[in-house]
Amino acid sequence: MADPHPKSNGIPLAGVIGWPVAHSRSPALHAHWLARYGIRGYYVPMAVQPEHLANVLHTLPQAGFVGANVTIPHKEAVLSLADVVSDRAALIGAANTLTFRPDGRMYADNTDGYGFIANLRQGVPGWRPDAGPAAVIGAGGAARAVVCALLESGAPEIRIANRTRLRAERIRSDFGPRVIVCDWVQAGNMLDGAATVVNATSMGMDGRPDLRVPMDILSAQAVVTDLVYTPLETAFLVKARDRGCEVVDGLGMLLHQAAPGFERWFGQTPEVDNDLRRAVLA
Ligand code: NAP
C-alpha cells in the first residue's frame, strides 16, 4: 500500500498536546493499539504552552506528524489555527482531533460526542438516543459535545441545568429549541421522564465534591452516564444504579473518542474492548 503520509517516511507520528499533559491517558491508549495492530508508528505526549501552540502546530507536519489530539487548554484555540474545521467542531466551539493532511492543510474535528454515543451504545446495547428526553447536567465544553451528539442522534428534547445558567442559555441559543434550560437548584426535576441522564460537570472527580442531584423521580428505565472517570464509579452512578438504572462509566467515552483519530492517522479501525480498558487503567 502506498504511504498515505509520505512526509512521515513510513513511520507516522502522532501525539497529544496539552499544558500540562503528564496526566493524559492518550499515550497509553494509542500505544496499546499500535502494538496490537503491529503498526510502526509512535504517539507521544507534548507539553506545549499556549504561546507556543501556533508554532508547534506549524512545525509538527515537517517532523513527520500525521495528526494530534489536543486537550486543555488548547481545545478552543486550535479552531482559529486550523485550515479546515468540521461543522461539528465549529458548533461545539472546540476541537480535540487534528489531522495534518498530505496537502499541508490542518483539519480540526471534535470526536468527544462520537465517543459519548459509542460508549453508551456499547455499554447498553439496547439504548436508544431517540427513546425520550435527555437530561444533561453541566454546560462546559464536554456538555456542548454531548448535546451536539444527542441532537444528531435524534434525542427529541434535551434538558440542561448548569450552575452558571448563562452557559446553558448559550447552548440553547447555539443548538436550538430542542434544548430546554432548567434551573440549577431544581436539576432533580428535569429527571422526570428522562430516558438518558448525563453528568457533564466535573463534580464527583477525585478530590472534588460529589454531584448531588435528587433522583427521587428518576425512572429505573433511564440510562445514566457520567463523563467523570476518576473514579470509575462515581457517587452519581452508584445512586442511579441503586434506583435500578443501567449505568455507564466515563472511561469508555475517552477510549471511543480516540478511535477516529487513530483510524485517520494510522489507517486502522481500532477496537475498544476490555484489553484496552485494562491497558489504560494500568
Ligand atoms: P469545563 O468546560 O471546565 O466545564 C465544567 C463544568 O462543571 C461546568 O458545567 C461547570 O459549571 C461545572 N462545575 C464545575 N465545578 C462545579 C461546582 N463546584 N458546582 C457545580 N458545577 C460545577 O469542563 P469540561 O471540559 O466540560 O469537562 C467536564 C467534565 O467532563 C470533566 O470532569 C472532564 O474530565 C470530563 N470529560 C470527560 C471526557 C471523557 O472522555 N470521559 C471528555 C471530556 C470531558 P459552571 O459553568 O457553573 O462553572
Side-chain angles (χ1 to χ4, degrees):
M1 193 175 82
D3 180 1
H5 302 286
K7 284 186 193 157
S8 70
N9 199 23
I11 305 179
L13 308 177
V16 54
I17 302 172
W19 182 258
V21 81
H23 65 282
S24 173
R25 301 191 185 213
S26 296
L29 198 168
H30 286 273
H32 174 85
W33 280 335
L34 286 167
R36 176 177 182 159
Y37 298 110
I39 295 171
R40 240 161 55 100
Y42 295 92
Y43 185 102
V44 294
M46 291 176 274
V48 176
Q49 295 183 35
E51 60 269 34
H52 297 145
L53 181 65
N55 267 342
V56 168
L57 289 176
H58 187 67
T59 310
L60 284 178
Q62 298 165 21
F65 277 77
V66 294
N69 288 119
V70 276
T71 185
I72 294 167
H74 304 311
K75 287 172 104 168
E76 289 84 17
V78 290
L79 291 186
S80 57
L81 298 170
D83 301 298
V84 186
V85 175
S86 71
D87 290 346
R88 200 180 301 123
L91 197 53
I92 293 166
N96 66 345
T97 304
L98 305 177
T99 304
F100 305 126
R101 291 179 165 168
D103 65 3
R105 299 203 302 166
M106 178 167 77
Y107 171 69
D109 193 13
N110 191 314
T111 64
D112 277 338
Y114 164 81
F116 170 79
I117 297 285
N119 185 35
L120 281 179
R121 287 197 198 283
Q122 188 174 43
V124 183
W127 174 71
R128 293 197 42 187
D130 59 355
V136 177
I137 304 157
R144 291 180 68 90
V146 164
V147 167
C148 186
L150 282 168
L151 288 173
E152 271 180 9
S153 306
E157 175 183 302
I158 299 182
R159 305 162 183 171
I160 184 158
N162 193 50
R163 177 180 61 174
T164 309
R165 189 180 168 106
L166 191 66
R167 282 180 106 181
E169 302 278 8
R170 209 172 292 141
I171 292 186
R172 184 190 151 81
S173 68
D174 288 348
F175 289 89
R178 271 196 282 160
V179 176
I180 294 172
V181 177
C182 304
D183 254 8
W184 175 246
V185 287
Q186 286 167 6
N189 290 349
M190 70 179 186
L191 306 189
D192 191 11
T196 308
V197 178
V198 187
N199 173 28
T201 73
S202 46
M203 304 286 287
M205 265 171 86
D206 286 332
R208 296 203 185 196
D210 290 332
L211 175 65
R212 298 195 183 283
V213 173
M215 289 192 177
D216 316 334
I217 49 176
L218 177 64
S219 154
Q221 310 309 315
V223 171
V224 179
T225 188
D226 200 323
L227 303 201
V228 169
Y229 55 85
T230 51
L232 278 180
E233 194 156 79
T234 59
F236 180 71
L237 290 185
V238 169
K239 215 162 138 190
R241 184 184 290 124
D242 287 348
R243 287 200 58 80
C245 299
E246 295 216 66
V247 303
V248 182
D249 69 52
L251 181 63
M253 173 173 167
L254 177 80
L255 307 182
H256 282 285
Q257 63 77 32
F262 188 88
E263 184 172 347
R264 285 169 206 168
W265 308 326
F266 299 116
Q268 165 79 46
T269 307
E271 203 174 328
V272 173
D273 58 12
N274 279 330
D275 282 351
L276 179 69
R277 272 179 84 89
R278 276 192 289 274
V280 170
L281 288 171

Short mmCIF file of all heavy atoms in Angstrom, two decimals, residues 72 75-76 112 137-144 161-165 167 184 199-203 205 208-209 211 226-229 250-255 257, ligand 1:
data_model
loop_
_atom_site.label_atom_id
_atom_site.label_comp_id
_atom_site.label_asym_id
_atom_site.label_seq_id
_atom_site.Cartn_x
_atom_site.Cartn_y
_atom_site.Cartn_z
N ILE A 72 -6.88 20.28 27.18
CA ILE A 72 -6.86 21.55 27.93
C ILE A 72 -5.44 22.10 27.99
O ILE A 72 -4.52 21.34 28.25
CB ILE A 72 -7.42 21.30 29.35
CG1 ILE A 72 -8.91 20.94 29.24
CG2 ILE A 72 -7.24 22.49 30.26
CD1 ILE A 72 -9.50 20.37 30.52
N LYS A 75 -8.10 23.38 23.35
CA LYS A 75 -9.18 22.86 22.50
C LYS A 75 -9.94 23.95 21.73
O LYS A 75 -10.44 23.70 20.64
CB LYS A 75 -10.16 22.03 23.34
CG LYS A 75 -9.60 20.68 23.76
CD LYS A 75 -10.51 19.96 24.75
CE LYS A 75 -11.28 18.86 24.08
NZ LYS A 75 -11.96 17.96 25.04
N GLU A 76 -10.01 25.12 22.32
CA GLU A 76 -10.70 26.22 21.62
C GLU A 76 -9.74 26.93 20.67
O GLU A 76 -10.10 27.27 19.54
CB GLU A 76 -11.28 27.24 22.62
CG GLU A 76 -12.47 26.74 23.42
CD GLU A 76 -12.05 25.94 24.66
OE1 GLU A 76 -10.88 26.06 25.07
OE2 GLU A 76 -12.88 25.18 25.19
N ASP A 112 -15.46 14.04 20.67
CA ASP A 112 -15.99 13.73 22.01
C ASP A 112 -17.44 13.22 21.95
O ASP A 112 -17.80 12.29 22.66
CB ASP A 112 -15.94 14.98 22.92
CG ASP A 112 -14.56 15.18 23.55
OD1 ASP A 112 -13.79 14.21 23.65
OD2 ASP A 112 -14.26 16.32 23.95
N ILE A 137 -26.52 17.50 32.88
CA ILE A 137 -26.14 18.38 33.98
C ILE A 137 -24.74 18.91 33.68
O ILE A 137 -23.81 18.12 33.50
CB ILE A 137 -26.16 17.60 35.31
CG1 ILE A 137 -27.55 16.97 35.51
CG2 ILE A 137 -25.81 18.52 36.48
CD1 ILE A 137 -27.55 15.78 36.44
N GLY A 138 -24.63 20.24 33.55
CA GLY A 138 -23.37 20.85 33.17
C GLY A 138 -23.49 21.50 31.80
O GLY A 138 -24.35 21.09 30.99
N ALA A 139 -22.68 22.52 31.56
CA ALA A 139 -22.76 23.22 30.27
C ALA A 139 -21.38 23.68 29.81
O ALA A 139 -21.25 24.70 29.14
CB ALA A 139 -23.71 24.41 30.38
N GLY A 140 -20.33 22.93 30.19
CA GLY A 140 -18.98 23.26 29.75
C GLY A 140 -18.72 22.70 28.36
O GLY A 140 -19.65 22.33 27.63
N GLY A 141 -17.45 22.63 27.99
CA GLY A 141 -17.09 22.15 26.65
C GLY A 141 -17.57 20.73 26.40
O GLY A 141 -18.07 20.42 25.30
N ALA A 142 -17.44 19.87 27.39
CA ALA A 142 -17.84 18.48 27.19
C ALA A 142 -19.36 18.39 27.02
O ALA A 142 -19.86 17.61 26.19
CB ALA A 142 -17.38 17.63 28.38
N ALA A 143 -20.09 19.18 27.80
CA ALA A 143 -21.56 19.18 27.68
C ALA A 143 -21.98 19.61 26.28
O ALA A 143 -22.93 19.05 25.70
CB ALA A 143 -22.17 20.09 28.73
N ARG A 144 -21.27 20.56 25.70
CA ARG A 144 -21.63 21.03 24.34
C ARG A 144 -21.46 19.89 23.33
O ARG A 144 -22.29 19.71 22.43
CB ARG A 144 -20.76 22.23 23.94
CG ARG A 144 -21.06 23.49 24.72
CD ARG A 144 -20.18 24.66 24.27
NE ARG A 144 -20.50 25.10 22.92
CZ ARG A 144 -21.39 26.03 22.62
NH1 ARG A 144 -22.06 26.64 23.57
NH2 ARG A 144 -21.62 26.38 21.36
N ALA A 161 -29.15 21.78 32.83
CA ALA A 161 -29.03 22.65 34.00
C ALA A 161 -27.56 22.86 34.30
O ALA A 161 -26.77 21.92 34.22
CB ALA A 161 -29.72 22.02 35.21
N ASN A 162 -27.22 24.08 34.63
CA ASN A 162 -25.82 24.39 34.95
C ASN A 162 -25.77 25.43 36.05
O ASN A 162 -26.63 26.31 36.13
CB ASN A 162 -25.11 24.94 33.69
CG ASN A 162 -23.61 24.98 33.87
OD1 ASN A 162 -23.02 23.97 34.27
ND2 ASN A 162 -22.99 26.11 33.59
N ARG A 163 -24.74 25.30 36.90
CA ARG A 163 -24.58 26.27 38.00
C ARG A 163 -24.60 27.69 37.43
O ARG A 163 -25.31 28.55 37.92
CB ARG A 163 -23.25 25.98 38.70
CG ARG A 163 -22.93 26.95 39.79
CD ARG A 163 -21.62 26.60 40.43
NE ARG A 163 -20.49 26.66 39.50
CZ ARG A 163 -19.23 26.50 39.84
NH1 ARG A 163 -18.92 26.25 41.09
NH2 ARG A 163 -18.26 26.57 38.95
N THR A 164 -23.83 27.91 36.37
CA THR A 164 -23.84 29.22 35.72
C THR A 164 -24.85 29.16 34.57
O THR A 164 -24.57 28.62 33.50
CB THR A 164 -22.43 29.55 35.17
OG1 THR A 164 -21.49 29.35 36.22
CG2 THR A 164 -22.34 30.96 34.64
N ARG A 165 -26.02 29.69 34.84
CA ARG A 165 -27.14 29.50 33.90
C ARG A 165 -26.82 30.02 32.50
O ARG A 165 -27.24 29.45 31.49
CB ARG A 165 -28.39 30.17 34.47
CG ARG A 165 -29.64 29.83 33.68
CD ARG A 165 -30.89 30.51 34.25
NE ARG A 165 -31.96 30.35 33.28
CZ ARG A 165 -32.98 29.52 33.42
NH1 ARG A 165 -33.09 28.79 34.49
NH2 ARG A 165 -33.91 29.43 32.48
N ARG A 167 -24.27 29.86 30.67
CA ARG A 167 -23.62 28.89 29.76
C ARG A 167 -24.66 27.93 29.18
O ARG A 167 -24.56 27.52 28.02
CB ARG A 167 -22.55 28.09 30.51
CG ARG A 167 -21.27 28.85 30.73
CD ARG A 167 -20.27 28.00 31.48
NE ARG A 167 -19.20 27.50 30.63
CZ ARG A 167 -18.21 26.71 31.06
NH1 ARG A 167 -18.18 26.30 32.32
NH2 ARG A 167 -17.27 26.31 30.25
N TRP A 184 -30.71 25.34 37.98
CA TRP A 184 -29.70 24.51 38.64
C TRP A 184 -30.24 23.95 39.96
O TRP A 184 -30.08 22.77 40.25
CB TRP A 184 -28.45 25.36 38.88
CG TRP A 184 -27.37 24.68 39.66
CD1 TRP A 184 -26.93 25.02 40.90
CD2 TRP A 184 -26.59 23.55 39.25
NE1 TRP A 184 -25.93 24.19 41.29
CE2 TRP A 184 -25.69 23.27 40.30
CE3 TRP A 184 -26.57 22.74 38.10
CZ2 TRP A 184 -24.78 22.22 40.26
CZ3 TRP A 184 -25.66 21.69 38.05
CH2 TRP A 184 -24.78 21.44 39.12
N ASN A 199 -24.09 13.23 33.69
CA ASN A 199 -23.31 14.23 34.44
C ASN A 199 -22.18 14.70 33.55
O ASN A 199 -21.23 13.97 33.29
CB ASN A 199 -22.73 13.67 35.74
CG ASN A 199 -21.80 14.70 36.40
OD1 ASN A 199 -21.99 15.90 36.23
ND2 ASN A 199 -20.80 14.22 37.13
N ALA A 200 -22.29 15.95 33.09
CA ALA A 200 -21.23 16.53 32.26
C ALA A 200 -20.51 17.63 33.02
O ALA A 200 -19.84 18.46 32.42
CB ALA A 200 -21.82 17.06 30.96
N THR A 201 -20.65 17.65 34.35
CA THR A 201 -19.85 18.57 35.15
C THR A 201 -18.58 17.83 35.59
O THR A 201 -18.45 16.63 35.37
CB THR A 201 -20.59 19.05 36.43
OG1 THR A 201 -20.64 17.97 37.37
CG2 THR A 201 -21.99 19.53 36.12
N SER A 202 -17.70 18.57 36.25
CA SER A 202 -16.51 17.90 36.80
C SER A 202 -16.74 17.48 38.25
O SER A 202 -15.82 17.02 38.91
CB SER A 202 -15.31 18.83 36.68
OG SER A 202 -15.65 20.13 37.12
N MET A 203 -17.96 17.64 38.75
CA MET A 203 -18.29 17.22 40.12
C MET A 203 -18.21 15.71 40.22
O MET A 203 -18.66 15.00 39.33
CB MET A 203 -19.72 17.65 40.48
CG MET A 203 -19.96 19.13 40.32
SD MET A 203 -19.19 20.06 41.62
CE MET A 203 -20.23 19.68 43.00
N MET A 205 -15.34 14.15 40.53
CA MET A 205 -13.95 13.74 40.25
C MET A 205 -13.20 13.58 41.55
O MET A 205 -13.52 14.27 42.53
CB MET A 205 -13.23 14.86 39.46
CG MET A 205 -13.24 14.67 37.98
SD MET A 205 -12.59 16.16 37.19
CE MET A 205 -10.85 15.83 37.24
N ARG A 208 -12.88 16.29 44.35
CA ARG A 208 -13.95 17.30 44.26
C ARG A 208 -15.21 16.77 44.92
O ARG A 208 -15.40 15.55 44.99
CB ARG A 208 -14.27 17.61 42.79
CG ARG A 208 -13.12 18.23 42.10
CD ARG A 208 -13.58 19.01 40.91
NE ARG A 208 -12.43 19.51 40.17
CZ ARG A 208 -12.50 20.46 39.29
NH1 ARG A 208 -13.65 21.01 39.01
NH2 ARG A 208 -11.43 20.86 38.66
N PRO A 209 -16.11 17.67 45.36
CA PRO A 209 -17.35 17.19 45.98
C PRO A 209 -18.18 16.39 44.98
O PRO A 209 -18.07 16.58 43.76
CB PRO A 209 -18.08 18.48 46.36
CG PRO A 209 -17.09 19.58 46.24
CD PRO A 209 -16.02 19.13 45.31
N LEU A 211 -21.51 15.18 42.93
CA LEU A 211 -22.67 15.85 42.35
C LEU A 211 -23.90 15.36 43.11
O LEU A 211 -24.16 14.14 43.14
CB LEU A 211 -22.79 15.50 40.87
CG LEU A 211 -24.03 16.03 40.15
CD1 LEU A 211 -24.03 17.55 40.10
CD2 LEU A 211 -24.11 15.46 38.74
N ASP A 226 -21.81 9.12 33.35
CA ASP A 226 -21.03 10.19 33.96
C ASP A 226 -19.80 10.38 33.09
O ASP A 226 -19.15 9.41 32.71
CB ASP A 226 -20.61 9.74 35.38
CG ASP A 226 -20.23 10.90 36.27
OD1 ASP A 226 -19.64 11.86 35.76
OD2 ASP A 226 -20.55 10.84 37.47
N LEU A 227 -19.47 11.63 32.76
CA LEU A 227 -18.26 11.84 31.95
C LEU A 227 -17.01 11.70 32.80
O LEU A 227 -15.92 11.44 32.29
CB LEU A 227 -18.29 13.22 31.28
CG LEU A 227 -19.46 13.56 30.38
CD1 LEU A 227 -19.07 14.70 29.44
CD2 LEU A 227 -19.95 12.38 29.58
N VAL A 228 -17.18 11.87 34.12
CA VAL A 228 -16.04 11.71 35.03
C VAL A 228 -15.64 10.23 35.04
O VAL A 228 -16.51 9.36 35.09
CB VAL A 228 -16.45 12.16 36.46
CG1 VAL A 228 -15.40 11.76 37.48
CG2 VAL A 228 -16.68 13.67 36.48
N TYR A 229 -14.33 9.96 34.96
CA TYR A 229 -13.90 8.56 35.01
C TYR A 229 -12.81 8.31 36.04
O TYR A 229 -12.23 7.22 36.10
CB TYR A 229 -13.46 8.06 33.62
CG TYR A 229 -12.41 8.90 32.97
CD1 TYR A 229 -11.06 8.71 33.23
CD2 TYR A 229 -12.78 9.90 32.08
CE1 TYR A 229 -10.10 9.51 32.64
CE2 TYR A 229 -11.83 10.71 31.49
CZ TYR A 229 -10.50 10.51 31.77
OH TYR A 229 -9.55 11.31 31.19
N GLY A 250 -17.49 6.80 32.51
CA GLY A 250 -16.97 7.73 31.51
C GLY A 250 -15.71 7.30 30.79
O GLY A 250 -15.30 7.93 29.81
N LEU A 251 -15.09 6.20 31.26
CA LEU A 251 -13.82 5.81 30.63
C LEU A 251 -14.03 5.43 29.16
O LEU A 251 -13.22 5.76 28.29
CB LEU A 251 -13.18 4.65 31.40
CG LEU A 251 -11.83 4.19 30.84
CD1 LEU A 251 -10.79 5.30 30.92
CD2 LEU A 251 -11.33 2.93 31.56
N GLY A 252 -15.14 4.75 28.90
CA GLY A 252 -15.40 4.31 27.53
C GLY A 252 -15.49 5.47 26.55
O GLY A 252 -15.11 5.35 25.39
N MET A 253 -15.99 6.62 27.03
CA MET A 253 -16.06 7.80 26.14
C MET A 253 -14.65 8.23 25.74
O MET A 253 -14.40 8.53 24.57
CB MET A 253 -16.80 8.93 26.85
CG MET A 253 -16.79 10.24 26.09
SD MET A 253 -17.85 11.46 26.90
CE MET A 253 -17.34 12.96 26.07
N LEU A 254 -13.75 8.21 26.72
CA LEU A 254 -12.35 8.57 26.42
C LEU A 254 -11.76 7.61 25.39
O LEU A 254 -11.06 8.02 24.45
CB LEU A 254 -11.53 8.53 27.71
CG LEU A 254 -10.05 8.82 27.52
CD1 LEU A 254 -9.82 10.32 27.42
CD2 LEU A 254 -9.21 8.24 28.64
N LEU A 255 -12.07 6.33 25.55
CA LEU A 255 -11.49 5.33 24.64
C LEU A 255 -12.08 5.49 23.23
O LEU A 255 -11.36 5.49 22.24
CB LEU A 255 -11.76 3.92 25.17
CG LEU A 255 -11.34 3.62 26.62
CD1 LEU A 255 -11.63 2.17 26.98
CD2 LEU A 255 -9.87 3.93 26.84
N GLN A 257 -13.55 8.13 21.87
CA GLN A 257 -13.26 9.39 21.17
C GLN A 257 -11.90 9.33 20.47
O GLN A 257 -11.64 10.09 19.55
CB GLN A 257 -13.36 10.62 22.09
CG GLN A 257 -12.38 10.68 23.26
CD GLN A 257 -10.96 11.10 22.88
OE1 GLN A 257 -10.79 11.89 21.96
NE2 GLN A 257 -9.96 10.58 23.58
P1 NAP B 1 -15.46 22.72 31.74
O1 NAP B 1 -15.67 23.31 30.39
O2 NAP B 1 -14.49 23.34 32.68
O3 NAP B 1 -16.91 22.64 32.47
C1 NAP B 1 -17.01 22.26 33.80
C2 NAP B 1 -18.47 22.03 34.16
O4 NAP B 1 -18.54 21.59 35.53
C3 NAP B 1 -19.32 23.29 34.06
O5 NAP B 1 -20.64 22.93 33.75
C4 NAP B 1 -19.21 23.83 35.49
O6 NAP B 1 -20.25 24.71 35.84
C5 NAP B 1 -19.33 22.55 36.27
N1 NAP B 1 -18.81 22.70 37.62
C6 NAP B 1 -17.51 22.75 37.99
N2 NAP B 1 -17.42 22.90 39.32
C7 NAP B 1 -18.69 22.96 39.79
C8 NAP B 1 -19.26 23.11 41.08
N3 NAP B 1 -18.49 23.24 42.19
N4 NAP B 1 -20.60 23.10 41.21
C9 NAP B 1 -21.39 22.96 40.12
N5 NAP B 1 -20.91 22.82 38.86
C10 NAP B 1 -19.58 22.82 38.71
O7 NAP B 1 -15.01 21.20 31.65
P2 NAP B 1 -15.40 20.14 30.52
O8 NAP B 1 -14.33 20.07 29.51
O9 NAP B 1 -16.81 20.42 30.07
O10 NAP B 1 -15.33 18.77 31.35
C11 NAP B 1 -16.35 18.42 32.30
C12 NAP B 1 -16.00 17.05 32.88
O11 NAP B 1 -16.08 16.07 31.86
C13 NAP B 1 -14.56 16.94 33.45
O12 NAP B 1 -14.60 16.17 34.61
C14 NAP B 1 -13.79 16.23 32.37
O13 NAP B 1 -12.70 15.49 32.86
C15 NAP B 1 -14.88 15.31 31.82
N6 NAP B 1 -14.65 14.88 30.44
C16 NAP B 1 -14.62 13.55 30.20
C17 NAP B 1 -14.44 13.11 28.91
C18 NAP B 1 -14.43 11.64 28.66
O14 NAP B 1 -13.93 11.23 27.62
N7 NAP B 1 -14.97 10.84 29.56
C19 NAP B 1 -14.30 14.02 27.85
C20 NAP B 1 -14.34 15.39 28.13
C21 NAP B 1 -14.52 15.81 29.45
P3 NAP B 1 -20.03 26.30 35.64
O15 NAP B 1 -20.28 26.58 34.18
O16 NAP B 1 -21.04 26.91 36.54
O17 NAP B 1 -18.61 26.61 36.06
#
